[in-house]
């Protein structure tokens, strides 16, 4: 039953970083949320041990996000009325235990909303990398512009460039959709992809070795799983053409950092990394000084006004829940094995 007990709004609380609530919901958004949920705590929950047991026992809904405390069997025992967890971010594996699904609690994610800025970052970097802009930004700090170096380089430009996408994830699919507006050949590798999947209408499905050997820009959008740790290692990097660019906005451990650094220092490959292993890199990490590397501090996901899009995703899920409609982006138990 979606409506609160005896027709009341469901009793709810935030469980995330304290400063995140105003970033997620402006005044209009908070009003919409309050129309559907009765938020019973002024401050978000940072530890369930700090909440009076009698209050936990009445909670029916949690809005979680970055900084959410873990929710496992003990927490669920303390919240026997909990019926829904609306997550204002992407993956839920970091804070929700399997007991949540075992007890039939609805879980939703804002991963689709967070895919927008990551895909936009990826598109921007692909275009800049193909145009040869990124190394020129560094060069222009120390050298006068030499138009001859740019005008006569046949490798610069995005016309009919081949881009390889690793992973038909939510983000990977959105990147492929954005690339459709340009003159790229898009290759896609995903071992779990069905042949009839519509994403193949905008890309050519190939095996990983072929994608790496044919693509001048390779963008990683696979989840971090035991099977994907180190999937881009020394042998895989060696298959990439000279001057190719590796772009990673997914998870750092998917790429063998030492193998990548060796390729960068040889001058054969370039890389754009928004994620690293570890993340962030230590201040003195040798990878930081590798030539041909553009390093950004995990900024591809929602930041600034983009966070409001995550809040809108939660609001729409809450509004569906309130009228008994199915969730738009539920997280099912079977999704977990392939989730980042």
């Amino acid at each position: 039953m979606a409506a609160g007990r005896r027709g009341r709004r469901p009793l709810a609380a935030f469980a995330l970083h304290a400063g995140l609530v105003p970033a997620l919901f402006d005044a209009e958004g908070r009003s919409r949320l309050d129309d559907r949920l009765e938020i019973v705590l002024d401050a978000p929950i940072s530890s369930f041990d700090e909440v009076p047991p009698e209050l936990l026992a009445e909670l029916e809904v949690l809005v979680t996000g970055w900084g959410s405390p873990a929710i496992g069997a003990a927490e669920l025992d303390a919240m026997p009325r909990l019926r829904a967890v609306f997550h204002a971010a992407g993956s839920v594996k970091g804070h929700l235990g399997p007991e949540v699904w075992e007890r039939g609690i609805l879980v939703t994610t804002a991963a689709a909303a967070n895919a927008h800025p990551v895909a936009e970052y990826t598109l921007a970097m692909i275009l800049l990398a193909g145009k040869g802009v990124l190394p020129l930004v560094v060069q222009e700090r120390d050298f006068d512009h030499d138009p001859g170096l740019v005008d006569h380089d046949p490798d610069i430009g995005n016309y009919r460039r081949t881009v390889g996408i690793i992973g038909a994830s939510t983000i990977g699919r959105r990147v492929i959709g954005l690339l459709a507006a340009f003159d790229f050949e898009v290759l896609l590798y995903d071992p779990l992809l069905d042949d009839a999947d519509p994403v193949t209408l905008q890309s050519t499905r190939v095996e990983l070795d072929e994608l790496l050997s044919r693509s001048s820009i390779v963008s990683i959008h696979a989840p971090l799983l035991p099977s994907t740790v180190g999937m881009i290692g020394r042998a895989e990097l060696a298959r990439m053409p000279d001057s190719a660019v590796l772009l990673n906005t997914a998870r750092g451990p998917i790429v063998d950092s030492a193998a990548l650094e060796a390729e960068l220092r040889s001058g054969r490959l370039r890389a754009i990394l928004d994620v690293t292993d570890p993340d962030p890199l230590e201040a003195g990490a040798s990878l930081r000084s590798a030539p041909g590397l553009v390093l950004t501090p995990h900024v591809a996901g929602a930041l600034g006004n983009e966070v409001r899009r995550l809040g809108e995703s939660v609001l729409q899920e809450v509004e569906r829940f309130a009228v008994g409609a199915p969730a738009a982006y539920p997280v099912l138990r079977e999704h977990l094995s392939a989730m980042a």
Side-chain angles (χ1 to χ4, degrees), residues 101-121:
W101 288 270
E102 291 169 3
R103 303 192 189 195
I105 296 169
L106 171 67
V107 178
T108 71
T109 175
N114 195 49
H116 285 256
V118 181
E120 291 165 357
Y121 171 104

Side-chain angles (χ1 to χ4, degrees), residues 90 167 176 207 245 253 292 325 336:
I176 290 171
E207 293 301 318
V245 179
L336 298 177

Side-chain angles (χ1 to χ4, degrees), residues 289-315:
S289 63
L293 173 65
V294 173
L295 185 64
T296 58
H298 210 143
V299 297
L303 294 174
N305 59 31
E306 297 165 338
V307 176
R308 195 62 47 77
R309 186 187 281 121
L310 307 183
E312 178 61 29
S313 176
V314 169
L315 286 169

Side-chain angles (χ1 to χ4, degrees), residues 170-249:
T170 301
I171 297 170
R173 290 168 184 271
R174 183 155 185 83
V175 171
I176 290 171
L178 293 176
L179 291 175
F182 300 89
D183 291 312
F184 289 112
E185 179 183 10
V186 179
L187 305 181
L188 172 63
Y189 168 72
D190 190 318
L192 302 179
L193 193 66
D194 187 276
D195 288 336
D197 195 298
V199 75
T200 58
L201 297 176
Q202 295 180 306
S203 60
T204 301
R205 187 181 182 189
V206 296
E207 293 301 318
L208 182 59
D209 287 356
E210 181 179 352
L211 181 147
L212 293 169
S213 64
R214 289 178 55 190
S215 302
S216 60
I217 301 175
V218 174
S219 189
I220 301 173
H221 302 287
L224 181 61
L225 305 170
S227 60
T228 63
V229 172
M231 73 177 294
I232 305 300
R234 191 174 305 278
E236 289 73 25
L237 293 169
R239 293 188 176 93
M240 295 178 66
D242 291 352
S243 301
V245 179
L246 181 70
L247 171 56
N248 190 8
T249 59

Side-chain angles (χ1 to χ4, degrees), residues 269-291:
L269 297 181
R270 292 179 287 143
I272 302 168
L273 303 180
D274 190 53
V275 291
T276 54
D277 183 23
D279 196 3
L281 287 176
E282 301 92 341
S286 60
L287 180 59
R288 287 183 176 274
S289 63

